[in-house]
Structure formats: C-alpha cells, structure tokens
C-alpha cells in the first residue's frame, strides 16, 4: 500500500539534490510524494543552518508539526540535513514529537530507519555520524537505474561531484555540517550523467561546495583529474544542451578552468563566484585567502576569455569589525564588476565558527541598513544588465507554460516570459526569443520568426 511522503527542503542546491535522492530511495518502498503535511504518513524537513534565519524557520515549522501530530498520532516526523547534523542532540532533548534525526551523511539509511519505526521495532531513530563514509557512488547508481521520480523539472538535474569542504572560512558552518572534502570518482559521475542524458535530461548542474578543488583532496578512488577535465568529459556526453556548475572558491579558480568558458560550447556563460566582501581587511578575517585585486584579475581574465560571461556573487554585510569604509569598498566592488546578480546576507553568528567569537559585532540596525543599500544598488545594476538584452535574440530553455505564455531561462539564467502564438514547447525545448522588456528579475519577449 502506498504511503504519503512530504519533504520540505530548506537551503542550497545540495539539499535539493539530497531531497531528490531521499524521494527516489523511498519510492522503492512505496512512498509517494505529496505537497502537504496534512494527511501525510511521513514528513521530513531537510534543513539548512547556514544562517540564523534559515535555522529559525526550521524550528518554527517543527513547532507547527507538533499540532499536526496531535491530530494524526501515526504521523512520523523526521529532520534531515545540516540542522539535524549540528543540533541533533538539542532536537532529541527538546522535541519529543520528532521521531527521526538523520545527519548529512546518513540519508541512505533512511529506508531502514523508517522501516523500524513503522514496524514499531523502535520508537526513535537517530544517525548523525559525520565520518565522510562516502556511501554515495554505489547508492546513486542504484537510484538512477530506478524509475525516475516525478521531479518537477525532469529536463534539468543536479549531479553531486563532491561533498564537504576544507576551507574553514571563519563564518561558515559547512565543514561542521558536511564534513571534510571528498570527491567522487570521475567514472561514476560520467556514468550518472550518461544515464540522465539518455533519459532525456538536457541540462546538468555539477554540484559541490567548492568544485574548483574537485579531485585534489581526499580522493575516494582514482580521481586523477581536476575539475576542468571532468567538465570536458561531461560536456562530451550526447544529448546535453546546457552545463553549469556551482559553487566556486575564487582562490582555487585556475586558468584551465577559466579556459573552459572559452572552449566548451555547452558550458553556460554564467558564473557564480562568491566574493563575500570588497575589503581586504574583512576578507582576511573571513579567512578567504584572496584579495580584491586578485579577484578582479580573475574577473578580467574571464571576460577576456568569454566576453558575454555573466557573473553573480555572494556578499555578507556586517561581518564583525566591518567599518563604514569596508562596506563602501564592497559597494565599490559591485560598481566595478557590475555583477548580474548577488545573493546578499546580513552576517549571523553560527555555532562552532571562529567568527562567532570575534569582537566588534555590528548592530542589527547597521547590518539592515547596509544590506538595504547593497541590494538597492544591485537591483539598479541588475535592471541595467537585463536591459542590455532588449532587442536581442536569446536562446531560452522552456521550463513551463502553454501556448499562451511560456516561462524559461537564458544561458545566463535570466527568467524569460514569452508568448508563442500557436507554437507548442515541452519543458527542456529550446526557443529563440526576441526580448522586448526587462525588469530586475525577469525579461519579456516574443518568439523570433526564425525559431
Ligand atoms: N552569516 C551570513 N551569511 C553567511 N553565509 C555563509 N555563512 C554565513 C553567515 N554566518 C553566506 C555566504 C555564502 C552563502 C551560501 O551564505 O555568502 O556564500
Ligand atoms: Fe545550508 Fe550549507 Fe547545509 Fe547547504 S550545506 S544546507 S547552504 S548549511
């Protein structure tokens, strides 16, 4: 008999991929995904602890689920992901209505754990060892050969190429929640992408906390190659139309990798290169191991190799000790690079990070004001950047819609809405669209006559 599974995912693409894996794993035991906790047999919250706000959302949702469980005592509630990894103990003590706590490296145990709970062999299941056991390759093979789960965007998939992080940026919780860096063997990755491409997947995003150091540390097997070689191998797989990757650390961005943007056709000219701050003093305290100048050198080299490349970044405002001049330097950097987009955040203390103990914390109202200022400037620049597309013909990969209006994305990830007057497209199809209007978050256009 089928059972209803509701997964709520917070945080990054790594978590989204983990949720997909969980869905596929549990599909083999008859679990069917639903889109509401109401009436579900199992609710899993796949959590993020990167910033305080993300973690608070998890705890408030867990509070709401307590009531759901009162009206449906058979409901099983589980917590997975980074908060489970770091706060497992705390959840165990404070949240008796949570039946299942699963750390970032234990998701493959979920079917057995749920089985024990439903058979009432146990009343609570907890697994949060963080030992980089890297059980992924064999399991992923098993999973990708299973019937595909009804993922919303079947034409576009993530593929994990490595786990963990060795960088220890002073503000970051990831080494604590995801463990040490470890790379999957290239043959496994290539095999996974080949299978996905043969199932009709058109766009692949290779995922890792720092893909630039792929194959450099803690090799699982003979990952004798670097990331640039991996990209070339994956790009050669038949059927793929677009290739992307995330995330990169500027200090490890090598010339061979930058050259890929000039030499690999299907590699989208869209690059997320988190800079975090425009002040060298702040970068040093963040332990980022690069300077604003060396970052700008790489930006220039990338633009030399691929003039149409669109750059996006991450910014933290209000890092401990950030002066007004430091913040102005961040605004200057934004004006210099003119990023197409930024993910910008107020600094928050995270457990077991070095910056949590730094002096000179910035008051909340100063952080809010700086964030607002940064985002206003970025919005203006994003609008200018998007306006550059007006009158141009762009290639759009269709995501959804019908003949009256479609939605899709350009190679640089801009969202495009377009009317198609009688023509029909399936998700994953490519359309040529002429852009008529630009907003800060999306573009509008019409089908080009030569489509
Ligand atoms: N406070 C605020 N932002 C953070 N990030 C990571 N840790 C913190 C923190 N403690 C941001 C960084 C990173 C992105 C994923 O989240 O900008 O690149
Ligand atoms: Fe959040 Fe980082 Fe964990 Fe991703 S790896 S879920 S961003 S804490």
């Amino acid at each position: 008999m089928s059972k209803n599974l509701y997964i709520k995912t917070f945080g990054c693409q790594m978590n989204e991929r983990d949720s997909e894996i969980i869905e596929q794993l549990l599909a083999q035991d008859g679990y069917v995904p639903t889109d509401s906790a109401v009436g579900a047999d199992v609710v899993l919250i796949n959590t993020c602890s990167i910033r305080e706000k993300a973690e608070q959302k998890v705890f408030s949702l867990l509070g709401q689920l307590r009531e759901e469980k009162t009206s449906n005592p058979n409901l099983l509630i589980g917590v997975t992901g980074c908060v489970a990894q770091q706060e497992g103990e705390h959840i165990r003590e404070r949240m008796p209505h949570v039946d299942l706590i699963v750390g970032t490296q234990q998701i493959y145990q979920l079917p057995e754990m749920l089985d024990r709970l439903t058979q009432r062999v146990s009343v609570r299941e907890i697994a949060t060892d963080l030992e980089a056991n890297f059980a992924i390759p064999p399991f992923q093979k098993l999973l990708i050969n299973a019937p595909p789960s009804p993922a919303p965007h079947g034409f576009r998939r993530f593929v994990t190429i490595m786990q963990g992080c060795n960088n220890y940026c002073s503000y970051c919780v990831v080494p604590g929640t995801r463990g040490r860096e470890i790379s999957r063997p290239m043959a496994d990755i290539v095999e996974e992408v080949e299978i996905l491409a043969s199932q009709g997947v058109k766009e692949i995003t290779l995922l890792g906390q720092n893909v630039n150091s792929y194959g450099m540390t803690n090799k699982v097997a003979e990952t004798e190659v670097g990331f640039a070689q991996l990209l070339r191998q994956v790009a050669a797989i038949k059927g793929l139309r677009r290739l992307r990757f995330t995330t990169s650390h500027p200090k490890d961005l090598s010339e061979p990798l930058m050259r890929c943007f000039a030499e690999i056709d299907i590699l989208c000219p869209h690059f997320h290169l988190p800079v975090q701050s425009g002040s060298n003093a702040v970068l040093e305290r963040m332990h980022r191991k690069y300077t604003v100048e060396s970052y700008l050198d790489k930006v220039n080299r990338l633009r030399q190799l691929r003039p149409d490349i669109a750059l996006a970044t991450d910014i933290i405002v209000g890092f401990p000790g950030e002066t007004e001049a430091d913040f102005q330097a961040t605004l200057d950097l934004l004006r210099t690079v003119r990023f197409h987009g930024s993910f910008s955040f107020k600094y928050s203390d995270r457990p077991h990070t070095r910056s949590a103990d730094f002096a000179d914390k910035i008051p909340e109202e100063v952080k809010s004001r700086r964030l607002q200022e940064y985002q206003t400037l970025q919005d203006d620049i994003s609008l200018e950047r998007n306006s550059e597309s007006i009158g141009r013909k762009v290639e759009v990969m269709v995501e959804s819609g019908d003949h009256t209006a479609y939605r899709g994305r350009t190679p640089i990830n801009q969202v495009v809405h377009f009317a198609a007057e009688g023509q029909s497209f399936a998700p994953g199809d490519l359309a040529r669209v002429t852009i008529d209007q630009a907003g800060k978050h999306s573009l509008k256009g019409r089908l080009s006559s030569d489509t």
Side-chain angles (χ1 to χ4, degrees):
M1 205 182 71
S2 78
K3 294 157 277 184
N4 289 333
L5 167 70
Y6 174 65
I7 307 184
K8 171 80 186 163
T9 308
F10 292 92
C12 61
Q13 291 159 327
M14 201 70 84
N15 266 17
E16 284 177 37
R17 174 68 191 130
D18 283 349
S19 290
E20 275 181 8
I21 293 175
I22 293 171
E23 228 172 61
Q24 287 173 298
L25 266 175
L26 295 181
Q28 297 172 10
D29 289 348
Y31 284 92
V32 179
T34 67
D35 52 11
S36 164
V38 179
D41 297 289
V42 175
V43 172
L44 296 177
I45 309 180
N46 194 2
T47 61
C48 175
S49 60
I50 192 94
R51 289 172 297 274
E52 207 172 359
K53 222 161 119 189
E55 191 166 329
Q56 279 162 1
K57 284 191 204 154
V58 168
F59 283 99
S60 87
L61 183 56
L62 279 174
Q64 291 165 22
L65 283 171
R66 195 192 311 251
E67 284 158 39
E68 189 60 36
K69 187 143 178 165
T70 319
S71 57
N72 174 11
N74 288 330
L75 172 67
L76 291 175
I77 299 175
V79 185
T80 61
C82 292
V83 177
Q85 185 64 50
Q86 261 197 328
E87 301 293 329
E89 220 18 56
H90 175 85
I91 298 171
R92 190 181 64 79
E93 283 165 15
R94 303 255 316 270
M95 308 250 162
H97 62 295
V98 172
D99 306 283
L100 183 73
I101 300 169
V102 187
T104 53
Q105 293 186 6
Q106 312 294 329
I107 55 175
Y108 299 95
Q109 295 184 27
L110 257 167
E112 291 157 36
M113 295 167 91
L114 271 176
D115 209 34
R116 288 194 290 267
L117 287 168
T118 46
Q119 306 289 327
R120 311 244 184 260
V121 176
S122 65
V123 288
R124 217 165 189 204
E125 289 281 335
I126 301 175
T128 54
D129 284 351
L130 192 60
E131 60 201 15
N133 58 15
F134 216 70
I136 284 183
F139 277 105
Q140 267 188 351
K141 270 190 207 159
L142 182 149
L143 287 174
I144 55 187
N145 287 321
S149 72
H153 297 303
F155 65 93
R156 185 171 58 199
R157 301 301 286 263
F158 300 126
V159 172
T160 306
I161 65 162
M162 58 204 293
Q163 279 197 334
C165 182
N166 283 355
N167 281 314
Y168 293 99
C169 298
S170 58
Y171 52 82
C172 190
V173 81
V174 171
T177 59
R178 296 260 174 193
R180 304 287 289 170
E181 200 171 275
I182 190 154
S183 302
R184 278 179 82 191
M186 185 166 80
D188 284 17
I189 297 167
V190 169
E191 188 187 351
E192 182 173 340
V193 178
E194 276 169 351
I195 293 172
L196 291 172
S198 74
Q199 292 172 346
V201 170
K202 301 276 182 268
E203 177 177 313
I204 290 287
T205 302
L206 301 178
L207 281 184
Q209 239 78 40
N210 177 17
V211 294
N212 302 151
S213 62
Y214 171 79
M216 300 300 162
T217 40
N218 296 7
K219 298 175 191 180
V220 188
E222 283 312 301
T223 48
E224 65 295 333
V225 296
F227 184 59
Q229 280 147 290
L230 175 69
L231 265 185
R232 287 176 202 279
Q233 289 273 346
V234 171
I237 294 170
K238 277 212 191 65
L240 294 186
R241 304 301 292 266
R242 288 183 176 181
L243 182 58
R244 305 177 187 278
F245 61 85
T246 194
T247 298
S248 297
H249 195 306
K251 84 174 160 56
D252 298 316
L253 174 56
S254 65
E255 173 69 18
L257 179 54
M258 289 195 277
R259 298 194 70 80
C260 290
F261 282 102
E263 292 165 9
I264 299 179
D265 269 3
I266 66 164
L267 182 61
C268 294
H270 182 246
F271 193 18
H272 183 226
L273 192 61
V275 66
Q276 311 297 358
S277 169
S279 152
N280 283 335
V282 173
L283 287 176
E284 176 144 10
R285 287 202 302 283
M286 288 178 163
H287 201 57
R288 291 289 286 174
K289 302 193 208 141
Y290 55 83
T291 60
V292 174
E293 293 72 25
S294 66
Y295 184 88
L296 287 173
D297 284 347
K298 289 189 174 165
V299 167
N300 291 335
R301 178 69 182 136
L302 283 163
R303 287 186 171 153
Q304 204 176 35
L305 287 161
R306 184 80 202 235
D308 61 342
I309 199 164
L311 298 171
T313 203
D314 288 354
I315 293 287
I316 299 177
V317 301
F319 189 76
E322 184 187 71
T323 62
E324 206 48 44
D326 290 326
F327 174 62
Q328 289 304 321
T330 298
L331 294 180
D332 285 343
L333 179 72
L334 171 55
R335 287 189 196 97
T336 305
V337 181
R338 300 184 67 245
F339 293 108
H340 276 69
S342 297
F343 298 101
S344 48
F345 313 102
K346 287 191 269 188
Y347 168 81
S348 56
D349 280 340
R350 304 309 298 130
H352 316 295
T353 58
R354 272 181 300 153
S355 63
D357 297 328
F358 287 179
D360 301 324
K361 294 281 160 57
I362 306 298
E364 200 51 36
E365 61 278 13
V366 176
K367 287 197 275 191
S368 298
R369 199 250 306 142
R370 289 183 185 167
L371 185 68
Q372 180 72 48
E373 228 178 294
Y374 183 89
Q375 290 180 341
T376 304
L377 180 58
Q378 177 65 73
D379 281 353
D380 290 348
I381 293 174
S382 297
L383 182 59
E384 284 168 23
R385 285 293 200 187
N386 281 344
S387 303
E388 291 166 10
S389 301
I390 295 177
R392 287 193 193 152
K393 266 184 212 165
V394 295
E395 181 202 78
V396 176
M397 188 175 276
V398 174
E399 288 177 4
S400 57
D402 58 32
H403 65 282
T404 54
Y406 285 98
R407 179 196 146 105
R409 284 179 192 265
T410 65
I412 64 170
N413 235 3
Q414 294 153 304
V415 172
V416 179
H417 300 276
F418 68 99
E421 286 120 30
Q423 286 230 38
S424 79
F425 293 95
D429 285 350
L430 293 173
R432 301 274 300 161
V433 175
T434 304
I435 301 303
D436 298 320
Q437 279 179 48
K440 58 188 182 201
H441 298 306
S442 65
L443 305 172
K444 266 198 181 138
R446 67 207 133 84
L447 209 56
S448 297
S449 43
D450 60 351
T451 294

